[in-house]
Amino acid sequence: MKKVLKYIVIVGMLWGTVAMHAQRSYRFRVQFTDKFPTEYSLERPQEFLSKRALERRSRQGIQLDSTDLPVCRAYIQELERQGGKCILTSKWNNTAMIQTADEATAQRFLENRFVRSVRKVWVKPDTVFPRTKDRKKEVTNKTYRKTHYYGVASDQIRMHCGDSLHMAGFKGQGMQVAVIDAGFYNVDLIKLFKKTNILGTRDFVNPNSDIYAEHDHGLKVLSCMAAQKPDVMVGTAPEAGYWLLRSEDNDTEQLSEEDCWAAAIEFADSVGADVVNTSLGYYEFDDKNDNYLYRELDGKTAMISISADMAGRKGMLVVCSAGNSGVGTWKKVSPPADAEHVLTVGAINNQGLNAAFSSMGNTADGRVKPDVMAIGFMSAVASGAGGTAFGNGTSFSSPIFCGLATCLWQACPWLTSDELIQLIIRSSDRYEYPDNIFGYGIPNVWKAYKKGLEMKK
């Protein structure tokens, strides 16, 4: 899994090294021209959106529109009659990911009047790697107590005056956070999460998998927000509820992961999640012809960026990692970090200095990115064995601040998601002089809270 290895430097479990042969098949992103005929209606939104999702829209004055309607089922049925198999859909992009045994079948889909475009997004890899069979043996839950309530996570919370927000009673209670990641290894066995309110799980890569037996990246990301063991490790939003969603394919790096991510964030929207954290980013793929170019970092080209922006427009706060390409050849932030209606987080150390690996801006159309910074160098995280460790990457600075932003929104529920982002930016230490490395700087959530009280309607 090349991207996750680039994005973070951590000690993780050893995956099995015995490869298994896989039979060739293909998946294509089929975009439709419209959504009609449809059995759904904007007059009956409860058929495709939860009460909580509708309340979030209503609270922020967001109207339903055609993008909220599911993809036309009749079109999918016709493509399946022609030899395809629907894997998943994206209503916001009006697409379906269709699997075929050969490329010719997919190209014939273009003969349908309702098909706008067809793009190959996945080729089944020649080898797949088996997961660890007996993961329970790895869990020792051995931890060490510190002299501070937050334990090893103290610096990454104090950096933003998050302890003041927590002391005021705002620890994320009543808020729902969707974590879109690569897998949540052993979360169900680790005592740091014993009190964590996990609302549900969903795997958009392999619906039949055990999401707790996949990669440990999501485990570490989740721990930055949800860990709850005083004097050992306490996260930035320990009382929030969490949806654990997998969109990252650990065996390959292909465009299909953007389709999975789009389906995941649409699911998060439909169940009524308030906040989304994603510590994934895409600019380089196994097929180099799919790689993004600098000029495409406009927030409107990559499917994942389009979907992230749409989620923001639907009233969710989307927090994403900037990327770890600062010392590589790419340098820039990675989609979806270039999206407009998201909060992009870069990495600093506990002294407030920029981490060299943290990706830079600006976007192709001149917007400031990253937006803000949080600790991403020697960040406190949970380990797959149930203890604590330290990791490097914007993969961790993103959830560290995401949890605090969640608590801030709990404290100021009258704000829209866009107002919340702007409040955070205005409360950052470089607001008056942003740049392409620090963005607007390091946010102070206690300062933001006091400013938010002045905006109460």
Side-chain angles (χ1 to χ4, degrees), residues 149-400:
Y149 171 74
Y150 294 110
V152 292
S154 178
D155 285 349
Q156 55 209 44
I157 293 174
R158 286 176 163 178
M159 174 69 71
H160 306 282
C161 296
D163 49 342
S164 295
L165 199 59
H166 287 174
M167 287 177 65
F170 305 110
K171 296 182 178 181
Q173 187 174 23
M175 303 294 288
Q176 293 191 7
V177 181
V179 186
I180 306 178
D181 218 280
F184 301 87
Y185 194 76
N186 283 347
V187 163
D188 57 334
L189 304 174
I190 293 174
K191 291 182 179 179
L192 287 171
F193 301 106
K194 186 177 181 180
K195 297 181 180 179
T196 301
N197 180 15
I198 296 177
L199 302 169
T201 66
R202 184 71 67 90
D203 190 330
F204 293 88
V205 178
N206 178 10
N208 297 318
S209 80
D210 177 0
I211 204 167
Y212 298 122
E214 293 295 336
H215 203 275
D216 67 347
H217 187 257
L219 150 74
K220 298 175 188 300
V221 167
L222 177 67
S223 69
C224 295
M225 298 178 281
Q228 284 197 67
K229 194 167 184 180
D231 304 320
V232 175
M233 182 177 180
V234 177
T236 50
E239 295 181 3
Y242 291 91
W243 292 94
L244 309 185
L245 312 178
R246 178 182 175 228
S247 70
E248 167 66 26
D249 187 342
N250 306 328
D251 295 315
T252 185
E253 189 81 315
Q254 301 189 59
L255 286 171
S256 59
E257 291 172 284
E258 294 192 57
D259 298 78
C260 294
W261 193 94
I265 202 166
E266 288 176 20
F267 173 83
D269 169 51
S270 70
V271 296
D274 304 293
V275 181
V276 174
N277 181 84
T278 184
S279 292
L280 302 172
Y282 300 89
Y283 71 90
E284 186 177 30
F285 300 92
D286 294 342
D287 185 343
K288 302 307 178 187
N289 293 319
D290 293 330
N291 290 358
Y292 289 115
L293 305 173
Y294 284 156
R295 65 173 178 267
E296 294 175 312
L297 291 179
D298 57 3
K300 302 175 183 177
T301 300
M303 182 186 195
I304 194 172
S305 299
I306 294 170
S307 297
D309 185 74
M310 181 68 77
R313 294 176 185 274
K314 299 298 183 183
M316 289 191 287
L317 172 66
V318 181
V319 184
C320 61
S321 55
N324 297 337
S325 300
V327 294
T329 56
W330 175 254
K331 304 290 185 188
K332 294 283 191 174
V333 297
S334 304
D338 62 328
E340 183 175 358
H341 293 271
V342 306
L343 188 70
T344 301
V345 186
I348 53 175
N349 64 16
N350 63 3
Q351 301 299 310
L353 300 177
N354 176 59
F357 57 75
S358 187
S359 292
M360 300 179 288
N362 287 336
T363 61
D365 53 339
R367 286 175 288 112
V368 173
K369 289 291 177 179
D371 294 297
V372 296
M373 307 292 277
I375 291 180
F377 181 81
M378 293 294 288
S379 305
V381 298
S383 73
T388 58
F390 293 94
N392 298 335
T394 58
S395 284
F396 307 130
S397 58
S398 178
I400 285 170

Side-chain angles (χ1 to χ4, degrees), residues 374-450:
I375 291 180
F377 181 81
M378 293 294 288
S379 305
V381 298
S383 73
T388 58
F390 293 94
N392 298 335
T394 58
S395 284
F396 307 130
S397 58
S398 178
I400 285 170
F401 192 75
C402 179
L404 294 177
T406 299
C407 297
L408 178 60
W409 209 1
Q410 175 199 3
C412 302
W414 50 85
L415 299 175
T416 66
S417 60
D418 282 343
E419 288 172 341
L420 180 63
I421 290 175
Q422 290 305 310
L423 178 63
I424 290 167
I425 287 173
R426 292 201 313 272
S427 302
S428 299
D429 65 353
R430 296 180 183 234
Y431 173 62
E432 299 292 342
Y433 44 95
D435 58 39
N436 68 331
I437 296 177
F438 283 85
Y440 294 98
I442 304 169
N444 181 323
V445 293
W446 184 246
K447 179 180 178 182
Y449 170 57
K450 290 188 288 186

